[in-house]
Amino acid sequence: MEKIASFQIDHTRLKPGLYVSRRDQFGGTVLTTFDLRFKEPNKEPVIDMPALHTIEHLGATFLRNHETWKKRVVYFGPMGCRTGCYLILEGTLDSKDALPLVTEMLAWMAAFEGAIPGAAPAECGNWQEQNLNMAKWEAARYGLVLKNPAEDRLNYPS
Ligand SMILES: [Zn+2]
């Protein structure tokens, strides 16, 4: 089998940042997949599983309610390696197009108070595995990475 595109990125040189992972065309529609890389791969601890689960619940809720973007949100979810998340948006987009949305999402997450959306047995397959405080901490930390990011935080190492 061929090596898929996301395995061809040199993870030993990848920094935390916001990257375009791929663009896929389906008929007249292009979907852009973003790599929201919270952690430096293989060099720092990954996101705690309960925190990552909470990031997924909060992020999906925020994105699918966003006035400007909600109709263009295809998917948001965690990477299996737990160093970040994928976000898929409709359109031919660059990192800078998604940066304001992702930054707004992280600020909202970092300030979130109250019941985690969807964290109930009827709504989630593992509803008790959540960590709101760590999710907020991770969102705040990644938010700092994306504050005035240099180009190497927006473009994969070539
Ligand atoms: Zn869940």
Side-chain angles (χ1 to χ4, degrees):
M1 294 207 204
E2 289 181 24
K3 192 190 271 196
I4 66 173
S6 62
F7 297 158
Q8 293 177 21
I9 306 306
D10 184 355
H11 284 71
T12 66
R13 295 195 296 137
L14 188 58
K15 304 274 187 221
L18 171 59
Y19 306 99
V20 171
S21 173
R22 58 185 297 141
R23 296 188 188 94
D24 295 287
Q25 182 148 9
F26 301 92
T29 301
V30 175
L31 302 183
T32 303
T33 301
F34 292 97
D35 172 336
L36 278 59
R37 191 68 63 160
F38 284 54
K39 301 291 184 180
E40 187 165 358
N42 304 309
K43 298 210 174 73
E44 61 176 315
V46 299
I47 304 169
D48 177 58
M49 191 58 236
L52 188 57
H53 189 194
T54 304
I55 288 169
E56 181 199 21
H57 278 231
L58 292 177
T61 298
F62 175 85
L63 294 162
R64 295 190 184 286
N65 282 284
H66 193 275
E67 272 310 308
T68 314
W69 284 95
K70 63 184 175 189
K71 291 201 169 100
R72 300 176 69 183
V73 174
V74 179
Y75 173 80
F76 176 74
M79 295 176 183
C81 63
R82 293 195 272 136
T83 62
C85 295
Y86 285 115
L87 167 64
I88 306 177
L89 298 174
E90 181 269 323
T92 305
L93 301 168
D94 287 316
S95 295
K96 280 177 179 162
D97 298 316
L99 186 59
L101 175 65
V102 172
T103 302
E104 192 185 334
M105 175 183 80
L106 294 169
W108 181 82
M109 267 185 204
F112 187 85
E113 296 287 345
I116 300 164
E123 298 169 333
C124 172
N126 189 10
W127 69 280
Q128 291 182 100
E129 192 181 64
Q130 303 280 352
N131 189 337
L132 179 59
N133 282 334
M134 276 309 295
K136 292 171 69 166
W137 186 88
E138 295 286 6
R141 183 181 177 278
Y142 181 48
L144 291 176
V145 169
L146 296 185
K147 202 170 178 183
N148 305 317
E151 288 297 317
D152 69 343
R153 303 292 179 146
L154 300 172
N155 297 292
Y156 277 142
S158 49

